[in-house]
Amino acid sequence: MPAIEIRDLRKSFGKLEVLRGIDLSVETGEVVCVIGPSGSGKSTLLRCVNLLEEPSSGSVHVDGVEVTDPDCDIDAVRRRIGMVFQQFNLFGHLRVRENLTIAQRRVLRRSRAEAERIATENLHRVGLAEKAHAYPAQLSGGQQQRVAIARALAMDPRLMLFDEPTSALDPELVGEVLAVMRSLAAEGMTMLVVTHEMSFAREVASRVVFMDGGTVVESGPPEEVFGSPREARTREFLHRVLEPTRVSEAEIGAHPVAPHGSAAPSGR
């Protein structure tokens, strides 16, 4: 049974169709990295897995439970899923350890002592045990994101969803977050990761999925997708991302950027 099974998933925001019939499965223990241009529907796909976005049609199963079934106890399913967002979403008025214990106590009904023990274990896991009594504002962005990962792990998830977890970080801080994610992958954690970090996808992923225009264009082992992509659109994207200094003026014209100050339609 796949950890995640998505069939013919579609999502529209008004007249804008963001997901156009996605089929995707993630096996237990797999690390699947989803790459692609902004607006291709990657984050929307991820948010549909735990119903933070309601699909327009199609089905999503998590550990055999159909979360798109109206009768599904979605709160029970969400307890099995850890999610780490672009922004850290920590409670600024709570110390780090309290950020890790509040959901354990309120959702899982753990005692204070047990919640604090598990919080400490997971802060050790991300290399931040010494920051247990700090406030989020006293931490760097990379440290805050590692706290967010520890908070998700403290809920004992069966799988983890990562939505571009390094996109809000300064370049110097990206490595420390990716190191934690590498260690989770090495431990066998099932992970679905939306990322722009091509080196992470190449080195850590079991499988890479390239999305564009709300569809899965190509999927396969990283050595195939990066080394010898089958689809022209995949080759074009990787060329523009991996060799940006070689992009020609003609290629820029082929994918125009919205003028400064204007808003292009978002595929989330």
Side-chain angles (χ1 to χ4, degrees):
M1 183 193 310
I4 303 171
E5 187 168 14
I6 299 167
R7 290 290 174 261
D8 196 25
L9 187 67
R10 297 176 182 272
K11 175 64 181 177
S12 295
F13 295 96
K15 295 182 178 180
L16 178 63
E17 190 176 21
V18 176
L19 299 178
R20 304 177 181 182
I22 300 292
D23 291 315
L24 177 67
S25 64
V26 179
E27 301 296 330
T28 300
E30 262 198 313
V31 178
V32 175
C33 285
V34 184
I35 64 173
S38 297
S40 59
K42 305 183 301 295
S43 292
T44 300
L45 170 65
L46 203 70
R47 293 170 65 86
C48 284
V49 172
N50 60 1
L51 243 57
L52 292 179
E53 294 285 1
E54 186 81 30
S56 301
S57 64
S59 66
V60 178
H61 289 76
V62 176
D63 281 342
V65 177
E66 184 182 352
V67 301
T68 42
D69 184 337
D71 296 326
C72 173
D73 183 352
I74 189 60
D75 290 332
V77 176
R78 284 175 178 154
R79 293 187 194 113
R80 310 177 196 176
I81 304 172
M83 186 159 185
V84 179
F85 300 88
Q86 297 177 29
Q87 303 299 325
F88 321 124
N89 297 329
L90 300 176
F91 294 111
H93 65 292
L94 298 180
R95 298 180 188 273
V96 164
R97 187 169 67 178
E98 294 166 335
N99 267 279
L100 267 68
T101 58
I102 186 170
Q104 292 187 67
R105 298 185 64 198
R106 293 187 178 181
V107 177
L108 302 182
R109 302 298 181 185
R110 288 173 176 161
S111 67
R112 179 186 294 274
E114 183 182 15
E116 290 183 351
R117 176 184 62 78
I118 292 171
T120 299
E121 288 176 357
N122 282 289
L123 286 173
H124 272 289
R125 205 169 172 184
V126 301
L128 289 174
E130 76 283 0
K131 300 294 185 180
H133 299 290
Y135 286 97
Q138 297 172 311
L139 306 179
S140 70
Q143 289 172 331
Q144 290 186 61
Q145 191 63 294
R146 285 152 63 195
V147 170
I149 294 173
R151 178 179 59 184
L153 293 173
M155 301 297 285
D156 295 329
R158 292 176 58 86
L159 63 98
M160 292 282 289
L161 308 177
F162 291 89
D163 187 7
E164 298 185 22
T166 60
S167 64
L169 300 179
D170 291 334
E172 288 184 316
L173 304 177
V174 168
E176 62 191 58
V177 174
L178 295 181
V180 171
M181 294 172 65
R182 282 190 180 92
S183 69
L184 292 179
E187 293 170 11
M189 175 65 74
T190 305
M191 297 162 62
L192 181 58
V193 184
V194 170
T195 183
H196 289 298
E197 300 293 338
M198 297 298 115
S199 61
F200 177 84
R202 189 197 297 262
E203 296 168 15
V204 180
S206 313
R207 189 155 39 96
V208 174
V209 174
F210 172 63
M211 285 184 63
D212 189 34
T215 65
V216 172
V217 176
E218 186 164 348
S219 174
E223 59 272 18
E224 292 182 8
V225 173
F226 286 102
S228 54
R230 299 185 304 273
E231 302 297 328
R233 181 65 185 105
T234 312
R235 292 194 293 271
E236 178 192 17
F237 171 79
L238 292 173
H239 168 64
R240 294 169 67 87
V241 170
L242 300 177
E243 301 181 278
T245 61
R246 298 187 181 183
V247 175
S248 67
E249 291 183 9
E251 289 175 298
I252 293 173
H255 291 275
V257 178
H260 180 68
S262 66
S266 172
R268 305 194 183 189

